[in-house]
Amino acid sequence: MASSTDGGSAPTSARRALTLLIILAAQLMLCMDLLIVVVALPRIEQDLSFTPAALTWVLNAFGLAFGGLLLLGGRLGDMVGQVRAFRIGIVIFIAASLLGGLAQTAAILVIARVLQGLGAALAGPSVLALVMVTARDADERARGLSLFIAVSSVGASAGLILGGVLTEFLSWRWSLLINVPIGAVVVMAIGKLVAETHPKQARLDVGGALTATLGSVALVYGFISAADHGWTSPGTIGSFVIAAAMIVTFFRIERTHAEPLLDLELVRNGSRLGGLAVMALIVGVHFAVLFMLVQYLQRELHYTPLVAGLAYLPLTMTVFVISHFVPKMLGRFGPRSLLVTGSILVAASLIGFAFLGPDNAFFPSVFVPLLVHAAGIALVFAPGTVAIMHGVPDKHAGSASGLLQMDQQIGGALGIAAIASIYSFAVVPGEYTSGLPAAFGSGAAIALISALIAWFCVRNPNDTDRAVHDRKPDEPRVTECAG
């Protein structure tokens, strides 16, 4: 149980409430930061002379560093104490935000986004741990967990809207600079409000973290290089070769390390592996839609950054409403049916977006596919989480949660890079919408592949339990995708 740092008594209710508020403010800041710059991308591209393909690094530099180093950040939190890891991570995040907000070149902004991801990877895993240790009893833990989930759910959408407000009335730079005062308050307050957790002895799997991150970066760079220089260029081929080598090395390290970041038992379950694949593919397509659509709204419909941010409200509200009914649907239909249905709806929405042209209006050309898209992702995110987390032993719950977050971040980065690369090949210079059919059409194909994976690989929990119960003693346990 947490105690105040200036005495031995239990903190008061007001102090615990203030502590929870500070922790959740940090969580909101971290959740917003991936997408808060989305609405500002056209102005960033103009001010810092990004190429269309290189512009994806403004998002992907953060997502890859965050996702690739997330498991290592969680392990460091256990080793040095959650409060210390949290404060160090937020300090790095603040400094990187300041650097990015003042950046005068594209390279400096990308470096700043990498450092932001590093800070988020160190601070992020400690947030939920601090929510739990500051609670006095089970009721407070449940309340804190509910608020944590709510803040995490609205963070990305809030980032889109806040980014539009800041870009419209101040500058795109304030979508990064706003983290400085908020983060400073969090850093100063948290050390006085929360007692340090007890550090645990553990071994760092630095090799695993580095190979996972470098492999992801090389894979994303391969797609971007293909858009700029072609699929047969030495840079493109070299990037994919390095990516393959790093990924193979990662799994070899995890197989032999005494305390690996990723217990490979978690990915030997066919249903869980299917859930991870579906989640990565749909998150990747979803982030690509946000990336491509905001540029359409500003370039072709001539929306201001504020109006472009508000244009995503139908998406946010639809996800919020449908998510309320998903738990009941999960109980009735199981995750597999919802994942298949959600993936098909996402594919249908991208087919709708593929028909966008320079003369279309927001309603119905954008509005209707946006609602379909929102319904699709709402039917994927929660069921995907259930499919991934079902059957995970308590001792691996933290690792599985980290794996899920890593899967989402890296999947999002790869989705943006791949679809932006396809767009760059298809676009006619000066005609933004000419590349949209190929980009969104490829995204629809990816979503349909996701539906097939869900249908053939993901088992409903009751089916899995029944299969285990009915298995003969000498039968091997099924861990492969079922055809």
Side-chain angles (χ1 to χ4, degrees), residues 363-432:
F363 185 88
S365 299
V366 176
F367 182 80
V368 173
L370 198 62
L371 292 186
V372 176
H373 185 79
I377 61 173
L379 293 179
V380 167
F381 286 178
T385 301
V386 170
I388 293 166
M389 298 301 293
H390 176 72
V392 174
D394 290 343
K395 65 178 181 178
H396 293 317
S399 296
S401 177
L403 176 62
L404 171 60
Q405 294 181 68
M406 182 176 72
D407 182 68
Q408 292 171 329
Q409 294 290 338
I410 295 177
L414 289 172
I416 292 172
I419 292 178
S421 176
I422 293 169
Y423 170 85
S424 296
F425 272 110
V427 70
V428 175
E431 299 178 15
Y432 179 76

Side-chain angles (χ1 to χ4, degrees), residues 21 25 27 32 65 108 150 174 189 197 202 216 263 270 332 361-362 369 377 404 415 420 432:
L21 177 65
Q27 176 66 8
M32 288 195 306
I108 294 298
W174 277 98
T197 60
S216 303
D263 191 316
R332 181 172 182 180
F362 180 80
I377 61 173
L404 171 60
Y432 179 76

Side-chain angles (χ1 to χ4, degrees), residues 74 80-81 162 164 222 226 269 274 296 303-304 335 369 376 382:
V80 305
L162 180 59
N269 178 285
Y296 173 79
Y303 283 7
T304 65

Side-chain angles (χ1 to χ4, degrees), residues 87-350:
R87 295 181 74 185
I88 293 172
I90 295 296
V91 167
I92 295 172
F93 187 82
I94 293 171
S97 298
L98 181 61
L99 177 65
L102 300 177
Q104 298 300 313
T105 66
I108 294 298
L109 179 57
V110 171
I111 291 170
R113 293 288 282 171
V114 170
L115 293 174
Q116 278 188 307
L118 171 62
L122 187 55
S126 297
V127 172
L128 186 55
L130 294 179
V131 169
M132 296 293 101
V133 301
T134 54
R136 180 182 56 183
D137 52 34
D139 289 340
E140 284 195 3
R141 282 193 292 273
R143 191 179 307 116
L145 181 59
S146 297
L147 290 172
F148 173 84
I149 293 172
V151 166
S152 301
S153 299
V154 304
S157 300
L160 289 168
I161 297 170
L162 180 59
V165 172
L166 294 172
T167 303
E168 177 75 17
F169 295 110
L170 295 172
S171 164
W172 66 263
R173 298 180 182 278
W174 277 98
S175 60
L176 300 174
L177 293 175
I178 193 174
N179 296 323
V180 177
I182 296 174
V185 171
V186 169
V187 169
M188 289 187 292
I190 199 70
K192 297 180 179 180
L193 292 171
V194 184
E196 184 58 272
T197 60
H198 296 292
K200 303 174 183 176
Q201 290 186 346
R203 295 182 182 180
L204 278 182
D205 181 9
V206 177
L210 290 178
T211 50
T213 306
L214 291 175
S216 303
V217 170
L219 191 57
V220 168
Y221 183 81
F223 285 112
I224 295 174
S225 175
D228 286 338
H229 307 294
W231 289 97
T232 58
S233 71
T236 302
I237 296 174
S239 296
F240 288 131
V241 170
I242 291 172
M246 289 295 101
I247 292 170
V248 169
T249 303
F250 168 76
F251 282 104
R252 285 182 176 176
I253 290 173
E254 300 310 280
R255 190 179 297 116
T256 58
H257 199 280
E259 297 182 38
L261 290 177
L262 175 63
D263 191 316
L264 295 182
E265 287 296 324
L266 293 173
V267 293
R268 291 194 178 111
N269 178 285
S271 183
R272 183 173 302 119
L273 197 58
L276 287 166
V278 170
M279 187 71 81
L281 292 174
I282 294 300
V283 169
V285 169
H286 174 55
F287 281 10
V289 166
L290 299 179
F291 176 78
M292 303 297 300
L293 196 58
V294 73
Q295 296 180 75
Y296 173 79
L297 295 174
Q298 295 188 57
R299 293 173 186 268
E300 300 297 327
L301 301 188
H302 306 294
Y303 283 7
T304 65
L306 174 60
V307 177
L310 293 175
Y312 285 107
L313 274 176
L315 173 74
T316 305
M317 296 305 297
T318 303
V319 171
F320 180 80
V321 170
I322 293 179
S323 295
H324 179 73
F325 299 99
V326 168
K328 291 183 179 179
M329 289 189 283
L330 271 169
R332 181 172 182 180
F333 302 108
R336 179 171 60 185
S337 297
L338 298 186
L339 287 172
V340 172
T341 303
S343 297
I344 292 173
L345 287 175
V346 170
S349 73
L350 267 78

